[in-house]
Amino acid sequence: MDRIRIVGGHALNGSIPISGAKNATLPLMIASLLTEDDLTLENVPDLADVALLKRILANHGVDYSVAGKRRGESVHAGETLTLRAKAIVDTTAPYDLVSRMRASFWVIGPLLARMHEARVSLPGGCAIGTRPVDFFLTGLEALGAEIDIDAGYVVARAPGGLRGGALRLPQPSVGATHTLMMAATLTRGDTLIENAAREPEVRDLAECLVKMGAMIEGAGTSTIQISGRDRLNGAVHEVLPDRIEAGTYAMAVAATGGDVLLQGARADLLTAALDALAGTGVEVTSTEGGVRIRRNGSGVDPVSVSTAPFPGFPTDLQAQFMALMTGARGTSEIRETIFENRFMHVQELARLGADIRLDGQVATIRGVSRLRGAPVMATDLRASVSLVIGGLAAEGETLVNRVYHLDRGFERLEGKLSACGAEIERLRA
Ligand code: UD1
C-alpha cells in the first residue's frame, strides 16, 4: 500500500487550484440513471470514488466517456464526463460494489423511479458510525414504494411507478435528500420534502436536474417541492468547486503559516469554517479568483466549534480543524454532532504529540508548542487528511499509512501541496 512521507515545518506559499466537489459529482453521476439521453458533467475530479461509481453505473448499463485534453486546457483541469443510460439492463447494485462506497446506495432512488424496481445492497457498517438508511426507506415508501429487506439487500418495488408524496426527514440527511429528490422527479404527482438538507451539493444537483427537465423548487432551503415528470432529458452541467477541499487547504496554510490563494474556491460555501479560521487570527480574504489565506509568523488562537448541518461548521472539516487547534495558543473544544464515531484521528494526532482529551462527542484540545513527526495510520477520508495537516506542521518526518483513503477524496494532494513549498511525496508500495 502507498504511503505519504512529509517533512514538516515548511510554510505554504503560492496557489492551489480547487477541484470539482466530490460530494456533488457522485449524486450528479447517479442522476444519469434518470434519462436515456447524454448527461455531460464538466469539472469532474479524478478520484477513486468517481472511478468506483463509474464501475457501479456501468454495471447498470450506463456507458461513459471522458473527453480528452482540449487546446489551451491545462492537463489538470477537471474531466468532462459523459454518461448515457440508454437502457438500464440490471437493477441490482451488488454488495461487493456498494459496500465500498456508501453513496452508491443512492442509485436506489433513480432506479426505482425509472425502472419501478431496484435491489440494492445495504451499505453496511462504516468507520464513522452506523450510518443507517432508515430515512431513505421511509421516504421512498412515502412516494409509493414497497420495501423488503432480503439477504442484506433492500428490495424496492413500485408497480405502476412512484407517485408523489409528502415527507419530513427526521434529520436533514444529505444522501436521503439527494435520493428522494431524484426519485421524485420521475413520478406521477407532486412531492414535498421537509427538513431537507441544505448543503450546496443538494442545490447543485437540483440545478442539473432542472436542466434535465425536472421541476424543483426550494433546493438549498429546508423545504423542497418537486412536480413529477414522465421523462427527463440530457443536459450539460459543471460541478461546483469542492468546499471541503478548499477548507482543508485553508487549514493547512493556517497550520504551517504562509500565503496561498485557493483558486476557484467560493467563500459563500464555506462561511462557518472561514469565520472559525478568522477567529484564530488567520487572514481570510475573498477575491475574484478564489479565497486567499494568510498567516504570518505568529501562531493561532484557540477557537471552539460544533459541527452542524449546512450552513453550520461541516463535519467533513472537523478533523482538519482539530489538527490546526493542536498547535493553538490555548485550549479549544470541538463538538461533533453529526456522526457518533468520528474521532478516530484523535489517537493518531496524539502520536504526533497532540494533547487531546475525549469525552463522548466533545474533544478538548490543549495547544502544544510543536508537534513532532511520527508514523501514523489513516482511518477514513477526512481523518487521514488531518494527519497530513499535522505532518506539515510538525517537526521532522511523518509517514501516513493507508493513503487509499486520501485518494478517495483528494485529487493530486501531494502535487498541490508540494507546488506551494511543502516537502511531501508518495512512496509507492
Ligand atoms: C454526506 C457526505 C459526507 C458528510 C455527510 C454530512 C457525500 C457523498 N457524503 O454523507 O461527506 O460527512 O453528508 O454532511 O455527500 N442518518 C440516519 N438515517 C438515514 C440517513 C442518515 O440516521 O437514513 C443520519 C446519519 O447517521 C448521520 C446524519 O443522518 O448522523 C447525517 O448523515 P447524512 O447527511 O445522511 O450523511 P451522508 O449523506 O451519508
Side-chain angles (χ1 to χ4, degrees):
M1 273 185 272
D2 289 1
R3 290 175 300 165
I4 286 191
R5 176 178 170 272
I6 302 165
V7 178
H10 300 280
L12 294 170
N13 286 290
S15 59
I16 297 181
I18 298 305
S19 300
K22 171 181 86 79
N23 285 357
T25 303
L26 301 178
L28 286 165
M29 287 172 71
I30 290 173
S32 68
L33 292 168
L34 290 165
T35 174
E36 54 184 44
D37 299 340
D38 286 5
L39 176 63
T40 296
L41 302 175
E42 297 169 339
N43 199 30
V44 170
D46 180 14
L47 298 170
D49 274 7
V50 171
L52 178 59
L53 187 54
K54 284 176 187 161
R55 279 183 55 198
I56 291 170
L57 293 174
N59 182 60
H60 295 301
V62 179
D63 294 333
Y64 60 83
S65 64
V66 175
K69 186 176 172 180
R70 295 291 182 266
R71 207 174 291 283
E73 238 178 39
S74 131
V75 199
H76 296 304
E79 271 181 359
T80 297
L81 172 67
T82 298
L83 300 144
R84 186 179 213 203
K86 180 84 192 143
I88 292 175
V89 298
D90 193 338
T91 53
T92 295
Y95 175 72
D96 59 323
L97 293 174
V98 178
S99 59
R100 289 164 59 186
M101 182 176 55
R102 183 181 157 84
S104 55
F105 183 78
W106 305 349
V107 298
I108 195 168
L111 286 178
L112 188 55
R114 181 161 156 197
M115 304 302 292
H116 305 176
E117 60 169 43
R119 192 167 166 270
V120 180
S121 169
L122 284 162
C126 160
I128 60 172
T130 49
R131 300 179 95 177
V133 293
D134 48 337
F135 305 167
F136 294 74
L137 304 188
T138 43
L140 291 171
E141 278 171 346
L143 302 185
E146 295 160 12
I147 308 272
D148 285 306
I149 308 289
D150 176 37
Y153 279 77
V154 176
V155 182
R157 286 189 202 89
L162 289 174
R163 49 168 165 75
L167 60 108
R168 184 181 176 80
L169 295 176
Q171 217 178 310
S173 154
V174 174
T177 304
H178 284 318
T179 303
L180 297 169
M181 184 168 74
M182 284 192 278
T185 60
L186 268 190
T187 59
R188 289 170 286 113
D190 297 338
T191 295
L192 176 71
I193 306 176
E194 287 184 297
N195 203 24
R198 289 182 284 162
E199 267 66 5
E201 293 75 20
V202 170
R203 173 182 261 175
D204 201 38
L205 173 63
E207 279 171 11
C208 177
L209 292 169
V210 167
K211 288 181 197 164
M212 293 166 70
M215 294 201 281
I216 304 176
E217 273 174 33
T221 75
S222 43
T223 305
I224 305 181
Q225 284 168 290
I226 303 129
S227 294
R229 307 288 307 258
D230 291 345
R231 70 176 297 277
L232 298 186
N233 46 260
V236 178
H237 184 78
E238 183 181 342
V239 179
L240 92 172
D242 197 318
R243 62 196 168 96
I244 303 302
E245 188 198 26
T248 299
Y249 290 125
M251 285 166 202
V253 179
T256 61
D259 185 349
V260 171
L261 176 68
L262 305 170
Q263 268 169 19
R266 278 177 48 187
D268 60 314
L269 306 182
L270 211 52
T271 311
L274 293 179
D275 285 352
L277 270 184
T280 70
V282 171
E283 243 178 80
V284 178
T285 332
S286 183
T287 72
E288 226 169 71
V291 176
R292 185 174 167 200
I293 306 291
R294 195 162 155 251
R295 173 165 84 73
N296 55 22
S298 63
V300 293
D301 292 328
V303 169
S304 294
V305 298
S306 185
T307 63
F310 190 83
F313 190 97
T315 174
D316 285 351
L317 287 174
Q318 180 255 104
Q320 298 89 316
F321 194 68
M322 192 180 300
L324 172 63
M325 287 297 99
T326 62
R329 285 181 295 237
T331 302
S332 58
E333 265 186 15
I334 297 184
R335 180 182 296 269
E336 173 58 55
T337 73
I338 309 287
F339 293 111
E340 76 268 27
N341 185 23
R342 204 172 205 186
F343 280 132
M344 274 90 57
H345 44 287
V346 167
Q347 287 315 313
E348 298 299 310
L349 287 171
R351 292 179 48 77
L352 300 175
D355 180 349
I356 306 170
R357 194 164 44 83
L358 259 188
D359 185 9
Q361 294 297 92
V362 182
T364 305
I365 305 115
R366 285 213 301 218
V368 295
S369 57
R370 256 256 170 268
L371 296 179
R372 280 178 208 288
V376 287
M377 183 97 78
T379 48
D380 72 56
L381 174 54
R382 312 303 176 184
S384 46
V385 85
S386 77
L387 303 175
V388 171
I389 295 176
L392 291 170
E395 221 164 61
E397 182 181 282
T398 295
L399 274 178
V400 183
N401 291 288
R402 296 202 184 163
V403 297
Y404 57 84
H405 290 293
L406 282 174
D407 297 332
R408 290 188 44 209
F410 289 91
E411 190 181 31
R412 294 192 307 110
L413 176 97
E414 317 90 90
K416 290 185 184 188
L417 285 169
S418 55
C420 290
E423 200 175 328
I424 177 167
E425 62 174 339
R426 179 177 293 249
L427 307 176
R428 302 266 171 205

